[in-house]
Structures are given as C-alpha cells and as structure tokens.
Amino acid sequence: MDMEPKGPMLGLESSCDETAAALLAPDGRVLAEALLSQVAEHARFGGVVPEVAARAHLHHMPRLAARVFAEAGITPSELGGVAATSGPGLIGGLIVGASLGKGLALAHGLPFVAVNHLEAHALTPRLPGLLPEAPAFPYLLLLLSGGHCQCVAVEGLGRYRRLGSTLDDAVGEAFDKSAKLLGLPWPGGPHLERLAASGDPKRIPLPRPMLGRPGCDFSFSGLKTAVAQAVGKLTDEAGKADIAAAFQASVSAVMADRARNALGMMPGATALVVSGGVAANGGVREALRGVAERAGLPLIAPPIRLCTDNAVMVAWAGIERLRAGLTDPVDHAPRPRWPLAELSPAGERIS
Ligand code: KG4
Ligand code: ZN
C-alpha cells in the first residue's frame, strides 16, 4: 500500500551522542532543525558514556522537539508522520527518542516509522534538492563513522547487502584512538587531520592493514598499535605530525583499496557514496574520488552536517518508508543491534 505523507515528517535521532529533531516536508524542504552534540559532556571521559548519553537525551529531546514545532509554526496534529531512530545504537538513547516519537504518533493518530539508523545514512543522498540528480539504485555506500565501518550495496529501499565491514575497530574509532595516543583531544579525527597537514607521511611509515587482500573488510587495531609504538619511539614533538600524516595516508590508501574491491563486487553500481563523520576527512575523500573517477562513477559525499548524525536523514528515511507503506506499530521495541540486511524482505536475505 503506497501512502503519500499528509504533512511534514518529524524525525528524531538519539542513537549515540547527538540529540536531534527535524521537521521535513515531503518534498525535502527542511522546515526546522535542532541538533545538540553531547561532545562536551563526554569529552572528559575520552569517549561516549552510554548512561551519560541516555540522561542527556532525556534532558534535551523534549525541548528540541518543541523548538522545531515552534520554529516551523506547526503543531503535531499537522504532521504526516513521526520517524524515530530505533536502532542500532545505545539502548538508553534509542528508548528516549523512540518513546517520544511513539507517544506523539499515538496521541495524534499519526503513522510511526521505526527508522534503522544505518538505512537513514544510506538513503541521505536521495534527499530531494541535495544533488542535481539523486543516485539511482544500486549504489555503493561507504559508511565511515565512529561506530560504523562498512561497505553496503544499496539495491533499493529496504534492500541492502553488506559487502564488507571492520573486523575490529571502526575507522572513526581508529582516528580517535590514534589521536589520543598523539595527545589530541576527543573526538580526535578532525584534530588529527589538522596535525597531519604539517607532517611528512613518508618519514615514519605505518602498516596498511588489509591492503591487497580480496574482499572489502577492514581492520584497524594493528594500525593503532603501530601508532602507539611509533609514538613510544619519538624523540621530538615534531614527529607527532609525521605520525598523524602517515596514519591518514595509511587509512586513505586502505580505504581506496577496499572501495575498489567493493565496486568490483557490485557491477552496475551508479555511484560511490561516502557518509559518516570520517567522510569529512580530506585525505580519505581524495582517495575515494580517485577510485570513483577510475571506475567512471561520481563520488557523492553529502554535506558534512548530513554525513554526521542528524534528524533530517531520519525524517527522510521515514518519508521514503511511509511512501512505500512500510510503517511500524507503536509497540515496536528499539534494537541496539539491527543489521541492515534484516530490513530486506523475508526470503531475500543475502548477508
Ligand atoms: O558520524 P559521526 O559524527 O558519529 C558516529 O560515530 O556515529 O562520526 C564521528 C567520527 C569520530 O570518530 C570523529 O573523530 C570522526 O568521525 N571524524 C573525523 C573527521 N571528522 C570527524 N575523522 C577524520 N577526519 C575528520 N576530519
Ligand atoms: Zn551515524
């Protein structure tokens, strides 16, 4: 059953350390958006503390939701539906966003969509107005964030095939851990990139794990150990920039190699899409652009604010699913673990 949303979609995101709400018109216009990063609350612990995150979501989410309604000048009864990230992620935060979403849907008789956070990242490049032309299915998605690191064949709405993923740390996690070893603040990715700009990537070479291996899995824990050893041998502060540069060069080379193999595993791909916080990294982007160019495909990187966690992408996934008649009951239970492949229609699960 196809359903056109009768009004704007409310999107709620609370799966990790961003509390976010957005109102999105069915034509893709962002009517209002509010996002609160909890970086300051977690920084002194050097990473996301689940209990701190859950409490912060609980504290901020109702206020952020009220703010987007006020900004857009609409009331919940005018909505076309409610979409809330319902997994995968930290369960405390998921419960906060999903409960608010289900409560609003129930109170106002609105359709509810339990959004898979990974699907929201995967569908972002289809947001109308974002690109001159939305990529056609199938396309290759590289999801590169602090919590996720995978190559996904996006074959259609709800049809995803994971081609490869990390065997240990996510790439953003590797950036953060290596940055910490270099004495940089958390989250370290952007700091490491800045430091790398003044370093020599060749002076202290680092390993390039998985490079040249078949498939498109990743592994970053060995690289992080190599960074620790290199830092231990340093005799001058300036060497830190060289290690940062070597680290970024290593990750970029590995990324290009894995992306090339992933494209080889999905003939017919129309584009290479990169998303997640690490998509902000210039070195990684440049390496991926080279791969896409050689394959004759466009490299699509949504603007950073839509690459990192946000509620606009959740609302958009909600609109896409609602249009396809894929709504969820209000007793849908949030799922800390929720692989993308499980969204595929029964009988079509490939990975
Ligand atoms: O997608 P995201 O905002 O949140 C989740 O992990 O869900 O990604 C955050 C990650 C962090 O690990 C951060 O260090 C990394 O993305 N990151 C970067 C850069 N900007 C953010 N890594 C490398 N270079 C950057 N410029
Ligand atoms: Zn994310």
Side-chain angles (χ1 to χ4, degrees), residues 18 25 36 73 89 130 158 166 209-210 241 246 262 293 296 300 348:
E18 259 92 27
L36 206 104
L130 196 62
T166 183
M210 306 301 274
E293 262 169 25
I300 295 175
E348 276 191 25

Side-chain angles (χ1 to χ4, degrees), residues 102-347:
K102 290 187 285 192
L104 280 170
L106 198 59
H108 298 278
L110 301 165
F112 174 71
V113 183
V115 171
N116 178 298
H117 180 88
L118 304 174
E119 177 171 56
H121 276 299
L123 297 175
T124 302
R126 290 168 49 80
L127 187 66
L130 196 62
L131 304 160
E133 205 178 329
F137 296 127
Y139 51 85
L140 173 65
L141 169 73
L142 256 65
L143 187 51
L144 309 175
S145 73
H148 303 286
C149 186
Q150 43 185 277
C151 301
V152 180
V154 180
E155 297 177 335
L157 177 67
R159 288 191 163 80
Y160 310 98
R161 206 152 45 91
R162 197 172 73 179
L163 303 174
S165 64
T166 183
L167 306 176
D168 39 61
D169 295 346
V171 60
E173 203 179 345
F175 265 99
D176 293 343
K177 288 178 176 171
S178 299
K180 189 175 178 188
L181 291 165
L182 292 166
L184 300 168
W186 179 87
H191 298 283
L192 192 151
E193 179 171 15
R194 234 167 283 135
L195 183 61
S198 61
D200 174 359
K202 298 211 174 81
R203 197 168 78 91
I204 306 173
L206 292 173
R208 301 184 164 185
M210 306 301 274
L211 195 116
R213 298 253 200 112
C216 58
D217 284 334
F218 303 87
S219 167
F220 291 109
S221 66
L223 179 56
K224 173 193 65 196
T225 308
V227 169
Q229 286 165 348
V231 171
K233 286 187 203 142
L234 273 187
T235 50
D236 59 295
E237 271 297 299
K240 284 189 174 174
D242 296 332
I243 296 176
F247 173 86
Q248 189 169 297
S250 170
V251 170
S252 303
V254 165
M255 219 35 102
D257 179 72
R258 306 288 82 191
R260 206 177 298 118
N261 283 3
L263 281 174
M265 290 161 81
M266 60 173 303
T270 65
L272 170 55
V273 177
V274 56
S275 195
V278 180
N281 188 276
V284 169
R285 260 188 205 226
E286 205 177 300
L288 292 176
R289 182 161 295 120
V291 173
E293 262 169 25
R294 275 190 290 281
L297 298 175
L299 175 76
I300 295 175
I304 297 305
R305 67 178 185 88
L306 292 174
C307 269
T308 54
D309 290 349
N310 66 89
V312 171
M313 71 175 188
V314 177
W316 175 246
I319 289 172
E320 290 238 48
R321 289 188 84 78
L322 183 62
R323 284 198 172 127
L326 297 169
T327 58
D328 296 282
V330 285
D331 63 353
H332 180 278
R335 297 184 54 179
R337 227 187 76 74
W338 189 3
L340 266 180
E342 289 185 19
L343 294 175
S344 296

Side-chain angles (χ1 to χ4, degrees), residues 15-27:
S15 65
C16 189
D17 61 341
E18 259 92 27
T19 317
L23 284 169
L24 189 70
D27 64 6

